[in-house]
């Protein structure tokens, strides 16, 4: 590319034009390279020679030919002047005033994720040396069908030149973003993205654009078949290199050892796969601990709180299974719901995840005498909402609820008789007050059609029956059940609770039936409202609930009437969980990078959605899988898996992970037998994510190898970091390490002086 001037000095006739060159050099483009600036200054010097004192100018002057400058503004260096000397960028003679990598990137609109990843990659010494010397052009593979025609490499090389050889303090990566957007539609527009996703796309794109393999041979991954790991690993690596050979493979790719074991035939399959970055799980993300309230159907048994621990992402069905195992019932007999303000807010499906249960939620598990009550043909199950008779009048007023809902079941025959419904509700309510709800029966014992044998408490001596003056029962049949907070379909939680005018007495319902003598007093789907007489206020609705932790046998020891809605015996907690909670309480739990590495190496069972086809028993199996590191790369990118999706819910883990800045020794984590010094790494970059999922921001902490100084890159703002330890934070997302004794690759000087090193894609 020949250097040229915007002003023609063979015919300078406009003083304003020359003034623009001579007197206003600051008006040059901010993002000009060193070469472009040298051309500009050369033109300025020429124009200045011919400016007369009286303001006139010499015309018809033909300037001397300006020699073309190499691409990226790099001048030829002597063989003793390497750009990387002792792992540092050595300045070139003509590089005075260059940014030297201390250049911010303009935020184009939600592009902080891109800026953060690019600053870390820009300060990867080996790759930047490869780019700045022009060595990448010898490896350019425009015909690779998996590549991007060399365009991504050109765009990235131009960006690196601006950051290191430009003189501007801020550069706008518009062209780079436009280029990657053409090959990955997800990066078009200005939506929020992930810095790790951008890094993965860019490294893959650079690899294919710079792949030295022009024609990839057909290969087949060998199985271990009992051979030594060293032999199998070498074969797999050679096969991989036969198709993939680039600077990215040289610097960034390591090798995993993957071991699968069939649970049925015990077949062991070992493969060795390449990896570009090390994705590490955070061990704190594996557990969900919550408290649920279990309500047994037998009112002689206490309502208890149970603390449960499950893996994150577990379903409500698994929660039911766990509770059922602890209390000795069947999970199919449990109904799970969220209770808010003495009403159901949302009922839970078996497929819901426990991660959706917030700590402040009151989750109730009601035991029922039948399984899967919504499809039962033998029983009618309905909720009962308690409220106190109001002193105010007016049918349109809303009921005021007390306590928490009850779940009641009657047989189909019992649902026809309002007396049976009344007696069953009284039986369930008897556990929530110290005052007896029964009196001696004056009439004959009800016949078997009332089906009260399993609902009435065992009688001792004289037969008793529920008092008739304590509450009234009304029903409401909502046409549509909806969740109050999220409008999702749910049982017994209508969008708007009915007014008293909409609640009908169940006895009047039965009395009003005419032609259909079999019409029930309560139907499946009905909501039953229990209106307690005001005289029972002290017994059923005490002003201050007691949160006693005494045993259940002592609950009725007080002679004064009181309500027992919230009284519980001691919380049920398994001893193992209790010990773990005590350890957490006594000392702050810390997570180190080593903890994450150990979690990564743990053996785990494949999920039902990722079955492995066993070649021995010819079936898809939930095999056990173990991932080990076989070999490491010169540049190690550690990805802390802070973001997760479980059951359709996105989550971020904001836990602090302690990581070493110098001397990360991975000797005990690598299976391949190498010199210990091969496994020692030093940190040079951190991509940070600050904030949560909805509102977040990316920055980068990067060590400039040339200046031996850490910097904070926050889009266009760049500032030095005085305390290096301050780069450790809970926002760390990607960690960039370099092997301490990594080989510094040198490239011939022809890359520096070649006149064909322009970045045009022709």
């Amino acid at each position: 590319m020949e250097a040229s001037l915007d002003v023609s000095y063979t015919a300078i006739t406009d003083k304003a034009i020359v003034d623009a060159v001579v007197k206003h050099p600051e008006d040059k483009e901010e993002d000009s390279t060193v070469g472009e600036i040298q051309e500009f200054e050369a033109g300025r010097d020429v124009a200045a020679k011919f400016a007369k004192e009286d303001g006139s100018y010499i015309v018809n002057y033909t300037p001397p030919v300006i020699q073309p400058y190499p691409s990226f503004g790099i001048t030829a260096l002597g063989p003793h002047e390497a750009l990387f000397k002792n792992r540092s960028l050595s300045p070139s003679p003509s590089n005075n005033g260059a940014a030297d990598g201390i250049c911010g990137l303009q935020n184009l609109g939600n592009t902080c994720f891109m800026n953060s990843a690019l600053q870390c990659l820009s300060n990867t010494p080996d790759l930047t040396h490869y780019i700045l010397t022009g060595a990448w052009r010898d490896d350019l593979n425009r015909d690779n069908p998996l590549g991007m025609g060399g365009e991504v490499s050109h765009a990235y090389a131009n960006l690196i030149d601006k950051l290191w050889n430009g003189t501007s303090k801020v550069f706008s990566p518009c062209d780079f973003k436009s280029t990657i957007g053409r090959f990955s539609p997800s990066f078009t527009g200005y939506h929020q993205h992930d810095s790790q996703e951008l890094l993965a796309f860019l490294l893959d794109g650079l690899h294919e654009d710079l792949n030295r393999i022009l024609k990839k041979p057909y290969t087949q991954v060998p199985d271990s078949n009992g051979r030594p790991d060293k032999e199998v690993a070498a074969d797999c690596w050679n096969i991989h290199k036969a198709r993939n050979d680039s600077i990215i493979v040289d610097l960034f790719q390591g090798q995993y050892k993957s071991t699968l074991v069939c649970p049925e035939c015990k077949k062991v399959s070992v493969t060795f796969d390449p990896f570009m970055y090390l994705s590490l799980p955070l061990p704190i993300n594996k557990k969900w601990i919550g408290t649920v309230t279990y309500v047994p159907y037998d009112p002689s048994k206490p309502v208890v709180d149970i603390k449960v621990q499950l893996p994150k992402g577990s379903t409500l069905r698994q929660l039911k299974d766990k509770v059922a195992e602890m209390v000795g019932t069947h999970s199919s007999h449990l109904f799970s719901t969220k209770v808010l303000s003495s009403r159901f807010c949302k009922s839970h499906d078996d497929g819901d995840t426990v991660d959706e249960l917030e700590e402040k939620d009151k989750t109730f598990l009601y035991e029922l005498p039948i399984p899967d009550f919504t499809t039962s043909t033998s029983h009618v199950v309905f909720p009962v909402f308690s409220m106190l008779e109001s002193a105010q009048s007016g049918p349109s007023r809303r009921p005021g609820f007390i306590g928490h809902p009850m779940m009641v079941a009657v047989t189909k025959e019992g649902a026809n008789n309002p007396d049976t419904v009344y007696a069953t509700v009284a039986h369930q309510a008897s556990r929530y007050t110290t005052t007896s709800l029964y009196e001696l029966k004056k009439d004959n014992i009800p016949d078997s059609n009332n089906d009260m044998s399993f609902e009435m408490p065992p009688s001792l001596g004289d037969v008793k029956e529920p008092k008739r003056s304590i509450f009234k029962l009304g029903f409401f049949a909502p046409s549509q059940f909806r969740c109050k907070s999220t409008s999702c379909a749910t049982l017994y939680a209508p969008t708007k609770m009915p007014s008293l005018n909409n609640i009908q007495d169940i006895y009047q319902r039965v009395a009003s039936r005419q032609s259909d003598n079999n019409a029930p007093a309560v139907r499946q789907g009905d909501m039953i409202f229990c209106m307690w007489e005001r005289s029972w206020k002290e017994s059923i609705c005490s002003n201050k609930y007691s949160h006693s932790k005494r045993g259940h046998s002592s609950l009725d020891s007080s002679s004064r009437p009181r309500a027992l809605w919230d009284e519980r015996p001691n919380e049920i907690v398994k001893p193992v969980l209790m010990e773990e909670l005590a350890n957490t309480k006594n000392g702050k739990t810390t997570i180190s990078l080593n903890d994450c590495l150990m979690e990564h190496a743990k053996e785990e069972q494949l999920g039902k959605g990722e079955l492995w086809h066993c070649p021995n028993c010819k079936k898809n199996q939930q095999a056990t899988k173990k991932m080990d590191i076989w070999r490491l790369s010169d540049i190690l990118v550690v990805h802390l898996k802070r973001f997760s999706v479980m059951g359709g819910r996105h989550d971020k883990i904001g836990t602090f992970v302690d990581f070493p800045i110098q001397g990360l020794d991975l000797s005990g984590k690598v299976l391949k037998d190498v010199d210990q010094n091969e496994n020692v790494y030093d940190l040079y970059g951190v991509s940070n994510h600050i904030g949560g999922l909805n509102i977040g921001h990316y920055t980068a902490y990067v060590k400039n190898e040339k200046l031996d100084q850490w910097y904070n890159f926050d889009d266009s703002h760049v500032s030095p970091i005085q305390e290096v330890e301050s780069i450790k934070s809970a926002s760390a997302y990607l960690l960039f390490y370099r092997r301490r004794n990594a080989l510094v690759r040198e490239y011939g000087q022809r890359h520096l002086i070649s006149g064909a090193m322009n970045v045009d894609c022709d």
Side-chain angles (χ1 to χ4, degrees):
M1 177 181 69
E2 291 189 2
S4 63
L5 299 176
D6 293 335
V7 180
S8 174
Y9 299 107
T10 59
I12 301 179
T13 58
D14 190 342
K15 180 178 183 297
I17 296 178
V18 181
D19 281 343
V21 177
V22 178
K23 301 178 181 179
H24 301 284
E26 68 276 10
D27 291 340
K28 61 184 179 294
E29 182 182 356
E30 290 186 357
D31 297 326
S32 299
T33 64
V34 170
E36 293 166 347
I37 294 166
Q38 289 171 333
E39 293 171 3
F40 187 96
E41 292 175 346
R44 181 191 61 191
D45 294 340
V46 170
K49 286 182 180 180
F50 299 95
K52 294 183 178 181
E53 293 182 0
D54 60 1
S56 62
Y57 297 90
I58 299 175
V59 297
N60 297 325
Y61 170 75
T62 302
V65 177
I66 300 174
Q67 295 297 326
Y69 289 90
S71 175
F72 309 144
I74 302 175
T75 59
L77 301 180
H80 63 284
E81 294 178 284
L83 284 181
F84 279 69
K85 186 177 181 181
N86 297 327
R87 291 179 53 202
S88 298
L89 283 167
S90 300
S92 60
S94 64
N95 215 25
N96 295 331
D100 290 334
I102 313 303
C103 177
L105 290 171
Q106 182 181 346
N107 192 321
L108 307 176
N110 282 330
T111 58
C112 57
F113 73 96
M114 181 180 74
N115 296 344
S116 174
L118 288 175
Q119 293 290 7
C120 291
L121 208 57
S122 167
N123 282 273
T124 301
D126 313 72
L127 182 60
T128 297
H129 175 43
Y130 172 81
I131 295 295
L132 290 179
T133 59
W136 63 278
R137 296 190 61 83
D138 283 350
D139 294 336
L140 197 58
N141 186 349
R142 289 189 175 93
D143 299 325
N144 185 356
L146 299 179
M148 303 171 190
E151 292 190 46
V152 169
S153 297
H154 275 280
Y156 181 72
N158 184 60
L159 179 129
I160 292 300
D161 172 55
K162 300 293 186 181
L163 295 181
W164 288 89
N165 291 322
T167 58
S168 174
K169 294 182 179 180
V170 180
F171 174 66
S172 175
C174 292
D175 292 340
F176 177 81
K177 183 182 183 301
S178 175
T179 300
I180 65 172
R182 290 202 302 272
F183 295 97
S184 178
S186 62
F187 293 120
T188 58
Y190 300 94
H191 302 291
Q192 296 184 24
H193 289 287
D194 187 298
S195 64
Q196 188 269 336
E197 293 175 355
L198 185 280
L199 182 69
F201 166 79
L202 180 55
L203 291 179
D204 185 65
L206 290 174
H207 160 65
E208 296 296 352
D209 271 1
L210 302 172
N211 198 343
R212 305 177 187 112
I213 306 299
L214 301 181
K215 186 176 181 180
K216 295 187 177 184
Y218 172 77
T219 59
Q220 188 172 359
V221 179
D223 199 355
S224 56
N225 291 326
R227 294 188 296 157
D229 285 349
K230 185 176 181 180
E231 180 180 329
V232 179
D235 286 348
C236 290
W237 186 252
N238 291 334
I239 289 173
H240 174 67
K241 289 278 287 184
R243 294 174 57 86
N244 304 275
D245 186 17
S246 70
I247 186 67
I248 303 302
V249 175
D250 296 342
L251 295 178
F252 290 90
Q253 289 196 356
Q255 194 176 23
Y256 278 137
K257 176 188 175 182
S258 175
T259 306
L260 291 169
V261 180
C262 177
E264 185 173 328
C265 69
K266 305 305 178 183
K267 162 72 177 176
V268 178
S269 175
V270 177
T271 58
F272 291 85
D273 305 306
F275 68 87
M276 191 86 76
Y277 41 84
L278 200 59
S279 290
L280 301 182
L282 275 63
I284 200 171
N285 190 36
K286 293 295 183 179
K287 299 173 183 177
W288 174 88
I289 299 177
T291 300
V292 299
T293 300
Y294 168 66
V295 184
Y297 193 72
D298 184 353
S300 65
K301 297 179 180 179
V303 177
V304 293
D305 291 333
I306 303 176
K307 190 174 288 294
V308 184
Q309 176 179 284
L310 290 169
K312 280 241 177 176
S314 297
T315 63
L316 262 293
R317 181 55 186 262
Q318 291 171 311
L319 174 62
K320 291 180 182 179
D321 291 339
K322 187 76 170 180
V323 172
E325 176 188 354
M326 296 175 71
V327 299
T329 187
H330 300 285
S331 60
S332 60
H333 287 242
L334 296 178
F335 170 64
S336 177
T337 182
K338 174 182 175 180
V339 174
L340 180 66
S341 301
S342 303
R343 294 171 287 171
F344 290 152
C345 175
K346 178 185 178 182
S347 61
H348 302 130
D349 294 328
D350 282 351
D352 293 343
T353 66
V354 293
D355 305 291
E356 300 175 35
L357 307 180
E358 299 181 9
E359 186 177 353
K360 63 181 180 180
D361 290 349
K362 293 183 178 180
T363 302
F364 278 63
L365 290 180
Y366 292 90
E367 184 189 28
L368 293 166
I370 57 172
D372 304 322
F373 73 91
T374 56
T375 59
S376 175
T377 58
S378 60
H379 286 72
V380 175
V381 177
F382 52 90
V384 178
F385 303 94
S386 297
M387 51 189 180
L388 189 67
E389 184 181 37
S390 176
Q392 300 176 354
S393 59
S396 61
R397 55 190 170 84
R398 303 287 172 189
F401 297 98
I402 59 174
H404 58 72
M406 299 178 283
M407 289 296 292
V408 178
V410 294
T411 62
K412 288 285 187 179
E413 293 78 10
N416 293 325
N417 191 326
D419 288 338
T420 301
V421 175
Y422 186 97
T424 308
V425 172
H427 185 44
Q428 288 295 322
S430 63
R431 75 172 93 199
Y432 298 118
T433 178
T434 59
T435 305
S436 175
L437 305 184
Y438 293 92
E439 61 186 2
L440 291 177
K441 183 174 176 60
K442 301 176 182 178
D443 301 329
N444 295 329
I445 299 176
D447 58 32
S448 59
N449 289 334
N450 288 341
D451 193 22
M452 298 173 59
S453 57
F454 80 95
E455 292 144 352
M456 290 295 293
S459 57
L460 298 174
D462 295 327
V463 177
K464 294 183 179 181
E465 66 176 358
K467 298 177 181 179
R468 292 291 172 178
S469 60
I470 53 179
F471 58 76
K472 298 176 182 177
L473 293 179
F475 76 93
F476 174 71
S479 58
Q480 187 177 21
F481 299 105
R482 292 198 175 275
C483 177
K484 186 181 178 74
S485 59
T486 62
S487 296
C488 58
T490 184
L491 284 173
Y492 314 126
T495 304
K496 189 175 182 180
M497 293 299 287
S499 65
L500 295 178
N501 192 43
N502 300 125
I503 300 174
Q504 303 177 43
D505 188 273
I506 64 169
Y507 284 91
Q508 294 179 1
R509 183 189 210 181
V510 173
S512 63
R513 64 191 183 196
Q514 299 176 357
S515 58
D516 188 3
N517 293 328
N518 293 323
V522 60
R523 296 185 176 92
Q524 189 72 42
D526 283 352
M527 298 169 61
I528 301 301
F529 295 87
C530 180
M531 179 74 75
W532 292 83
E533 297 287 344
R534 289 197 63 80
S535 59
W536 281 75
K537 179 178 180 180
E538 186 177 8
S539 298
I540 204 66
C541 183
S542 55
N543 291 329
K544 184 177 181 180
Y545 290 135
S546 171
H547 296 274
S548 172
K549 295 297 181 181
R550 297 171 295 171
H552 182 65
S553 60
S554 64
L555 293 181
D556 57 356
S557 59
S558 175
S559 58
R560 182 178 178 180
R562 57 192 177 93
L564 304 176
W565 292 104
D566 285 355
E567 295 207 16
R568 306 280 191 272
N570 292 330
E571 186 178 54
I572 299 178
V573 186
K574 282 197 170 185
V576 175
L577 176 57
M578 188 178 296
E579 181 179 355
E580 184 174 329
L581 293 173
N583 293 336
T584 303
K585 183 177 180 180
N586 293 335
K588 182 180 179 181
T589 302
T590 59
I591 296 179
S592 67
L593 190 59
N594 185 62
D595 294 330
C596 299
L597 288 163
M598 292 177 62
E599 187 72 18
H600 175 265
K602 283 184 179 179
E603 185 177 89
E604 61 179 3
Q605 188 175 32
L606 297 179
K608 294 183 179 179
E610 48 182 2
L611 301 179
W612 171 63
H613 185 77
C614 177
N616 191 39
C617 57
K618 310 298 182 184
K619 292 191 295 185
N620 293 333
Q621 300 282 7
Q622 276 189 273
T624 57
K625 182 178 182 180
K626 192 175 189 302
M627 298 289 289
D628 294 295
I629 302 172
W630 178 259
R631 76 163 75 215
L632 289 168
S633 51
D634 284 352
I635 304 299
L636 181 63
V637 181
V638 178
H639 169 219
L640 300 177
K641 298 170 70 174
R642 293 192 178 276
F643 303 103
S644 62
V645 181
M646 294 182 179
R649 182 182 179 184
H650 297 254
D651 190 20
K652 180 191 174 182
I653 307 170
T655 304
F656 172 75
V657 177
D658 190 15
F659 51 87
I661 297 175
Q662 290 184 332
L664 171 64
D665 190 352
L666 298 175
S667 300
K669 305 297 187 297
V670 183
L671 298 183
K672 186 179 179 182
D673 187 16
V674 295
D675 186 274
Q676 182 176 356
N677 294 329
E678 292 286 320
N679 298 321
V680 178
Y681 288 77
D682 296 320
L683 187 75
Y684 70 89
V686 181
S687 176
N688 302 299
H689 180 268
I690 305 166
L693 292 174
N694 298 325
I695 301 177
H697 180 59
Y698 285 92
T699 64
Y701 296 145
V702 176
K703 183 180 181 181
N704 184 292
E705 287 288 318
K706 177 178 180 179
L707 305 177
D708 194 27
Q709 170 69 47
W710 281 87
Y711 288 89
N712 176 20
F713 289 86
D714 186 355
D715 288 331
S716 58
H717 304 284
V718 183
S719 58
I721 296 175
Q722 304 302 330
E723 297 292 335
V724 178
E725 285 293 323
S726 66
I727 69 175
K728 295 183 180 182
S729 73
S731 301
Y733 180 45
L734 299 177
L735 308 176
F736 290 76
Y737 283 94
R738 187 179 189 273
R739 181 179 275 145
R740 181 170 289 180
N741 66 346
L743 174 67
V744 177
R745 295 165 175 82
E746 297 296 340
Y747 304 98
Q749 294 302 311
R750 59 192 176 87
H751 301 297
L752 297 175
I753 61 177
S754 171
M757 281 180 54
N758 60 75
V759 295
D760 297 330
C761 297
D762 50 12

